[in-house]
Amino acid sequence: MQPLLFGTAERRLAGLYHPPARGASQRAFLLCNPIGQEAVRAFRCYRELALRLSQADAHVLRFDYTGCGDSWGAADDCSVDTWLQDIASAAVELMDTAAVRQLSVIGMRMGATLAWLAGSRLPRVDTMVMVDPVLDGQGYLAAAREAHAVMLEDPDRFPKPRSVAETNGELLGFEMSDALLGEMAEIDLCAHRPVPGVRVEVLATDATSDYGRLTAHLEQAGVSCRQATVPFDARWQDGTALERTLIAPDLVSAILESAIPDSTGRERTGQ
Amino acid sequence: MNERSVLFGSTRSIYGVVTDPQGARQDRPAVLLLNAGLMHHIGPFRLYVLMARALAALGFTVLRFDLSSKGDSTARPGKLSYAESVKTDVAEALDYLEQTRGIKRFVLLGLCSGADDAYRCGLTDERIDGVALLDGYAYRTAGFYLRYYLPRLASPAKWLSFLKRSVGRTSGQPGPDAGLEGDIFGMAFPPRKEFAAGLRKLLERNTSLLIVYSAGWFEYYNYAGQFGDAFPDIAKNSKVRVEYFDRADHTYTIVADRKRLIDLVTGWADASF
């Protein structure tokens, strides 16, 4: 594992590069984090995934967006457009470091969504694995606000409840500017054309999740897409589960199989 | 300021981020931020990142890092206990800063289990000039019990919960004051006298202490004067500062609470070192 700092001199992004276990490889995976507390909760999953991809002889880069994790910046520096630029920078960094000509992208939640939106800014993308992608920014924010209200009244967290009014400009522990919230509210994944030639794998941890609109959109665009359910009680937007670390070995295995199907000899079936 | 991600330690398996201030003050100790529970080195809601940068703005070098087996640090080889592993990790972190930057004095800060780790490492390494304990060991007093049980007397649901826990006590588990403090509430703290002796030992070495409790630690600490009531001689020492955030939760989820905590820590560090 090698720490990396990349991006511009004014805006340094922190990343961790995992080289392939057995040396030269043409496989490279860029891991795109969720945002906010979902990123914190998914940290161990991402680390485990990176280690296993590296063991499967792939180059891997995981990194923090501007204003997140160890990267430069604070809340005011965060915007959807900035994060899309960060993903593009990370992709170039990975391809340069790994000396590969194409890469694959894996993202959970808003990480999957941002990777999708960044599609046209990325160099050649072979595969995109999207875990519980956020299709609709307004719905995502509405659920986050509901979880935030629940959190403020959680007696296991606050013996004296706190109010929504005193947490104006923040959601679930993180500051979010009006501008950022406005950008996020406008997200509609199916309004964006997919990256040409990409293979898409959609994994849902909740069997009731409906990604029909996304798969129909992809099929219409002639993009190869497979959807599968990997049951796991992620409780992504549960206001009482903010610090609940995702320990999901089966999910990590499913992501690995989706990312490198020829390593398991699995026959792909569409859904 | 400049930040650099590093791998260090005898097995180069400990991962951390060093924040070097522009124009570091050579007379200032470096500050080490120890993992809060299983949280990786950014801290809950990025607390440690923001705290590191705020301290660096005052001329402190700061290292936030992952103890072995946490975050991006791998497990240490061998069969060390958790306490021994933490002690070794922290010692190697101090060694790293001494070797690379010539810093010889240090402050340890930790939240929750990080506070416990900071306290224990502070006791055994004489390079430690300051220890900041956020929701660490806490000892109940008469004032605590009054504030804890009075509201519950009027609540049938809380009576039921209390009775369930008491049944657990009478079936072989020791009571709250036997050996380990706090077991009725599920945490294992060293005996009160042992903690007091440890704090006195730190003070005899002229170590500055910042001891902070939040309202989220309500099973163990629930009023501003509790530490002073539990350890009156220690609380009066000029090297000791005790604060109670009576509305903040254990991980400072709310931004304003987090900013107040960072202001408290930076103010204490600026005044103490």
Side-chain angles (χ1 to χ4, degrees):
Chain A
M1 182 180 78
Q2 296 167 22
L4 285 181
L5 276 178
F6 59 98
T8 64
E10 295 77 30
R11 208 170 82 209
R12 305 301 298 274
L13 302 177
L16 279 166
Y17 166 67
H18 299 258
R22 282 181 282 273
S25 170
Q26 281 300 306
R27 278 205 182 103
F29 289 91
L30 180 65
L31 305 192
C32 294
N33 285 334
I35 61 166
Q37 191 62 4
E38 292 185 3
V40 176
R41 292 184 57 209
F43 174 86
R44 283 182 69 172
C45 269
Y46 270 66
R47 181 169 187 270
E48 179 66 20
L49 179 61
L51 292 173
R52 290 185 63 182
L53 284 167
S54 169
Q55 283 161 15
D57 269 344
H59 302 267
V60 188
L61 177 63
R62 49 189 171 106
F63 72 102
D64 295 319
Y65 309 119
T66 295
C68 304
D70 286 316
S71 285
W72 172 90
D76 287 346
D77 303 301
C78 298
S79 76
V80 171
D81 190 66
T82 298
W83 290 341
L84 300 186
Q85 289 177 47
D86 293 343
I87 291 173
S89 291
V92 169
E93 185 70 21
L94 175 58
M95 293 178 75
D96 278 352
T97 302
V100 297
R101 284 175 291 180
Q102 68 178 24
L103 54 74
S104 296
V105 183
I106 301 173
M108 283 188 189
R109 298 290 288 155
M110 194 58 83
T113 305
L114 292 172
W116 182 268
L117 297 176
S120 61
R121 308 186 195 203
L122 298 180
R124 192 168 161 209
V125 178
D126 171 64
T127 298
M128 199 169 275
V129 180
M130 308 172 77
V131 182
D132 292 341
V134 174
L135 300 189
D136 156 41
Q138 285 195 7
Y140 174 85
L141 289 176
R145 289 185 176 106
E146 198 176 309
H148 184 78
V150 166
M151 175 202 77
L152 293 175
E153 297 197 349
D154 180 1
D156 289 333
R157 180 177 297 276
F158 296 108
K160 298 175 196 168
R162 306 294 288 269
S163 68
V164 170
E166 67 179 305
T167 58
N168 192 30
E170 58 190 271
L171 267 183
L172 297 171
F174 289 88
E175 283 186 88
M176 291 202 166
S177 66
D178 288 345
L180 174 61
L181 291 172
E183 280 186 289
M184 290 174 68
E186 288 178 2
I187 289 174
D188 176 2
L189 207 59
C190 296
H192 293 264
R193 290 190 60 78
V195 172
V198 69
R199 173 176 72 92
V200 177
E201 300 265 332
V202 179
L203 299 179
T205 60
D206 182 350
T208 65
S209 297
D210 181 8
Y211 288 110
R213 194 160 70 94
L214 176 62
T215 54
H217 172 65
L218 292 172
E219 281 165 13
Q220 204 167 15
V223 169
S224 163
C225 172
R226 191 186 77 96
Q227 183 191 331
T229 299
V230 186
F232 180 76
D233 186 21
R235 295 165 65 186
W236 287 116
Q237 290 183 305
D238 180 341
T240 64
L242 276 196
E243 275 102 3
R244 188 166 174 261
T245 298
L246 263 67
I247 300 175
D250 290 345
L251 179 60
V252 172
S253 293
I255 297 171
L256 185 67
E257 287 176 18
S258 293
I260 311 180
D262 57 1
S263 67
T264 63
R266 176 179 58 84
E267 180 182 0
R268 294 180 63 239
T269 55
Q271 290 192 10
Chain B
M1 72 189 70
N2 184 42
E3 283 193 336
R4 179 188 301 275
S5 302
V6 293
L7 282 165
F8 62 91
S10 56
T11 53
R12 283 185 56 80
S13 60
I14 305 177
Y15 178 83
V17 177
V18 185
T19 309
D20 287 305
Q22 214 160 7
R25 281 187 45 179
Q26 297 305 319
D27 57 329
R28 293 209 128 149
V31 182
L32 283 76
L33 307 180
L34 306 186
N35 294 107
L38 292 178
M39 269 292 319
H40 65 294
H41 59 273
I42 66 170
F45 306 102
R46 219 177 172 222
L47 171 67
Y48 284 1
V49 176
L50 301 173
M51 192 177 284
R53 293 173 183 173
L55 285 165
L58 294 173
F60 291 92
T61 296
V62 187
L63 172 60
R64 56 186 188 270
F65 69 101
D66 292 320
L67 297 166
S68 293
S69 300
K70 294 188 180 182
D72 275 309
S73 294
T74 53
R76 204 169 261 287
K79 291 184 180 178
L80 293 179
S81 66
Y82 174 76
E84 287 167 345
S85 177
V86 169
K87 186 177 159 187
T88 306
D89 289 345
V90 171
E92 289 189 349
L94 305 189
D95 292 344
Y96 171 76
L97 290 175
E98 187 166 353
Q99 287 156 13
T100 57
R101 287 158 175 81
I103 300 171
K104 296 183 188 301
R105 310 300 304 173
F106 304 92
V107 173
L108 302 181
L109 179 145
L111 172 69
C112 192
S113 69
D116 307 344
D117 295 335
Y119 162 75
R120 284 197 300 272
C121 291
L123 282 178
T124 58
D125 198 315
E126 298 214 350
R127 294 176 285 180
I128 306 302
D129 268 358
V131 175
L133 311 176
L134 314 181
D135 282 353
Y137 298 134
Y139 296 84
R140 292 181 292 282
T141 60
F144 169 88
Y145 288 114
L146 192 69
R147 289 164 178 83
Y148 188 86
Y149 286 117
L150 259 183
R152 285 159 171 77
L153 286 174
S155 167
K158 290 190 188 294
W159 266 112
L160 184 61
S161 174
F162 169 74
L163 286 169
K164 282 180 182 171
R165 288 204 303 269
S166 295
V167 165
R169 279 174 60 202
T170 55
S171 57
Q173 295 178 21
D177 295 320
L180 293 176
E181 290 270 357
D183 44 278
I184 186 175
F185 295 100
M187 291 285 290
F189 298 160
R192 182 189 303 248
K193 287 182 181 173
E194 183 182 310
F195 182 60
L199 293 179
R200 291 190 189 101
K201 181 180 170 184
L202 287 170
L203 291 170
E204 281 163 15
R205 267 185 19 214
N206 215 31
T207 309
S208 293
L209 302 181
L210 174 65
I211 300 171
V212 184
Y213 296 100
S214 74
W217 212 221
F218 59 88
E219 296 283 8
Y220 310 101
Y221 199 100
N222 65 12
Y223 68 103
Q226 184 171 332
F227 184 90
D229 288 346
F231 307 106
D233 64 308
I234 294 171
K236 287 177 193 157
N237 192 298
S238 61
K239 298 287 282 184
V240 176
R241 181 167 176 185
V242 183
E243 295 289 342
Y244 176 53
F245 282 70
D246 67 349
R247 301 193 69 219
D249 66 323
H250 180 54
T251 50
Y252 297 86
T253 308
I254 291 180
V255 172
D257 294 341
R258 200 177 314 141
K259 285 181 177 173
R260 280 182 56 214
L261 175 67
I262 293 172
D263 286 346
L264 171 67
V265 169
T266 54
W268 167 76
D270 199 27
S272 302
F273 306 104

